């Protein structure tokens, strides 16, 4: 494409070189992160912008999109797109794409690692060795996955990949979602509190956003009980974080393994100071291999749309072709 017919694209923040380099070849790229005055930059380029590429927590909301009269596509880096107002986009004929499937196995691997780390207290054991304490006496015995039932909250693409791995550990699996999932034989609980009462581990892997906000609340944690372990690899917003900290402090539940937090990258000091939890800095999909696949899918969505062939992975709320308004 010549510079004259390259569509104008906003990058809401710095992205991996694979995305930035291909974007520069295909689009006239406007980098919000490089703007001295972001609002002034948006006002200046607004009439020309046809695409946005975004990642992380940058809010692509109605207030931003309504300033861009020619906006057609928002390409999100990540399968979760809770930072994009898809309702507004759907109502205004803007298609939103995400990066499903290419990260399922990586996120499921990370989830199982976090589950085992939490149950067997492996990070604590490693810290023990490094501190030279093994020389004094053996590390105390840990909790176990044996005799536990794992309840998965969300049986979608990643939930299924997690379940397949948990099966190989020989422990029972049940799940909660609004509708029973097709093609799985695990017991379905339409009621989350009822499931929490029956299991010893809850693994949370639902989308973020208004529909799931604080669904893991004090009532669910009480039902999970004093032997219960919470693993959250979904979004921080899905867990009522103050209620979780209280439940951990009061031993209402046993422990938690968390990859995601309410105000990332800020993690409450009270959690950091708890020796009996395992905390990861949102690394579920964060390998070179998987981030490359996610980045390429974001670019492929934009390329296919720019060629007129339509985006590859539009989200369900903004089906293609859109109804342009
Ligand atoms: P998916 O295929 O769309 O599956 C979502 C599952 O959640 C479905 O089983 C769905 O079933 C259930 N669900 C949705 N809303 C619900 C509600 N209100 N109550 C109960 N269940 C609900 O999504 P996915 O590809 O597996 O990804 C799931 C999420 O994982 C992403 O949206 C993202 O937030 C998170 N994630 C995190 C990381 C990380 O690095 N930690 C990486 C990737 C993804 P029903 O519709 O029947 O309820
Ligand atoms: C990414 C994720 O870390 O795909 C998701 O929903 O949470 C992760 O894979 C994140 O989207 C990067 O912006």
């Amino acid at each position: 494409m010549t510079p004259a017919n390259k569509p104008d694209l906003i990058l809401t923040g710095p992205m991996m070189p694979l995305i930035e380099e291909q974007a520069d070849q295909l689009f006239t790229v406007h980098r919000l992160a490089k703007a001295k005055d972001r609002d002034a930059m948006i006002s200046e380029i607004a009439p020309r912008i046809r695409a946005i590429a975004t990642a992380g927590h940058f809010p692509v909301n109605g207030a931003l999109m309504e300033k861009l009269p020619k906006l057609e596509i928002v390409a999100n880096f990540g399968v979760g797109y809770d930072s994009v107002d898809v309702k507004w986009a759907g109502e205004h004929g803007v298609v939103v794409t995400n990066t499903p499937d290419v990260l399922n196995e990586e996120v499921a691997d990370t989830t199982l690692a976090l589950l085992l780390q939490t149950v067997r207290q492996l990070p604590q054991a490693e810290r023990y060795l490094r501190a030279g304490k093994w020389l004094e006496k053996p590390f105390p015995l840990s909790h176990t996955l044996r005799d536990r039932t794992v309840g998965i909250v969300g049986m979608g693409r990643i939930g299924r990949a997690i379940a397949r791995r948990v099966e190989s550990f020989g422990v029972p699996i049940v799940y909660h979602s609004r509708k029973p999932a097709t093609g799985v034989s695990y017991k379905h609980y339409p009621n989350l509190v009822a499931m929490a009462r029956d299991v010893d581990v809850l693994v949370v892997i639902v989308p973020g956003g208004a529909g799931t906000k604080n669904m893991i609340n004090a009532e669910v944690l009480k039902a999970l009980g004093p032997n219960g372990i919470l693993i959250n690899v979904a979004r921080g917003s899905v867990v009522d974080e103050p209620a979780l900290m209280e439940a951990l402090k009061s031993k209402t539940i046993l422990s938690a393994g968390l990859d995601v937090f309410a105000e990332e990258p800020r993690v409450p000091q009270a959690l950091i100071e708890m020796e009996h939890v395992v905390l990861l800095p949102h690394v579920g999909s964060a390998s070179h291999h998987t981030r490359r696949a996610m980045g390429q899918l974001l670019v492929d969505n934009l390329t296919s749309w720019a060629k007129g062939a339509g985006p590859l992975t539009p989200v369900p709320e903004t089906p293609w072709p859109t109804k342009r308004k």
Side-chain angles (χ1 to χ4, degrees):
M1 272 187 222
T2 63
N5 62 13
K6 278 177 160 183
D8 285 69
L9 169 117
I10 287 177
L11 277 187
T12 61
M15 298 217 186
M16 55 199 298
L18 176 150
I19 296 178
E20 298 234 2
E21 286 161 18
Q22 293 183 79
D24 277 327
Q25 285 167 21
L26 295 159
F27 296 92
T28 301
V29 179
H30 306 274
R31 292 174 164 82
L32 288 192
K34 294 234 166 108
K36 282 207 184 83
D37 179 341
R38 190 189 282 175
D39 290 339
M41 180 195 237
I42 291 172
S43 300
E44 199 253 307
I45 60 180
R48 307 193 296 277
I49 295 300
R50 293 179 59 206
I52 295 177
T54 190
H57 302 289
F58 187 98
V60 180
N61 50 28
L64 171 63
M65 290 187 279
E66 75 181 355
K67 291 184 183 148
L68 312 173
K70 291 200 179 142
L71 182 66
E72 290 176 51
I73 182 167
V74 177
N76 183 62
F77 180 74
V79 67
Y81 47 90
D82 42 309
S83 60
V84 182
D85 186 342
V86 283
K87 184 168 182 293
W88 192 98
E91 285 168 0
H92 293 81
V94 174
V95 68
V96 177
T97 65
N98 65 345
T99 61
D101 289 319
V102 294
L103 43 51
N104 294 350
E105 306 306 320
E106 200 75 71
V107 179
D109 288 354
T110 311
T111 306
L112 265 292
L114 181 56
L115 171 57
L116 290 176
Q117 283 187 327
T118 308
V119 176
R120 296 297 320 284
Q121 297 161 268
L122 299 177
Q124 294 89 330
E126 209 231 16
R127 288 199 290 273
Y128 187 90
L129 181 153
R130 286 180 189 275
K133 294 184 185 168
W134 193 15
L135 296 167
E136 296 158 24
K137 56 181 178 180
F139 185 71
L141 302 183
S142 74
H143 312 299
T144 179
L145 193 60
R146 310 274 68 77
D147 298 331
R148 287 180 183 272
T149 295
V150 173
I152 302 181
V153 184
M155 190 49 72
R157 292 167 292 234
I158 303 172
R160 286 160 200 255
I162 292 170
R164 281 199 306 276
R165 284 160 173 74
V166 175
E167 268 186 30
S168 70
F169 287 88
V171 294
I173 300 166
V174 298
Y175 74 100
H176 164 71
S177 55
R178 290 166 301 182
K179 302 176 298 295
T182 50
V184 301
S185 55
Y186 317 117
K187 178 175 177 184
H188 174 244
Y189 282 79
N191 184 294
L192 176 56
V193 174
M195 181 172 87
R197 232 179 262 128
D198 286 359
V199 303
D200 322 281
V201 176
L202 276 184
V203 177
V204 188
I205 187 69
V206 288
T212 56
K213 190 162 169 55
N214 289 345
M215 75 189 280
I216 308 296
N217 57 21
E219 189 188 6
V220 173
L221 294 168
K222 186 156 180 259
L224 184 57
N227 192 36
I229 291 175
L230 176 75
I231 303 295
N232 186 15
V233 284
R235 284 287 181 268
S237 62
V238 177
V239 174
D240 178 342
E241 212 166 67
L244 172 63
M245 290 190 285
E246 181 50 38
L248 286 164
K249 210 170 112 200
S250 62
K251 299 190 168 38
T252 301
I253 67 168
L254 184 64
S255 181
L258 309 171
D259 184 44
V260 287
F261 302 88
E263 301 285 341
E264 295 175 8
R266 281 173 292 280
V267 175
Q269 193 58 29
L271 275 179
I272 290 174
E273 284 168 11
M274 284 180 197
E275 181 58 21
H276 68 310
V277 301
V278 179
L279 310 174
L280 299 179
H282 199 149
V283 293
S285 67
S287 69
H288 292 293
H289 167 94
T290 294
R291 286 291 172 84
R292 263 200 306 274
M294 292 164 63
Q296 194 56 52
L297 183 51
L298 178 147
V299 171
D300 291 347
N301 265 296
L302 287 170
T303 312
S304 180
W305 160 81
K307 279 188 194 148
L312 304 177
T313 52
V315 304
E317 295 87 342
T318 67
W320 184 264
T322 59
K323 291 196 185 91
R324 292 285 300 157
K325 293 214 176 129

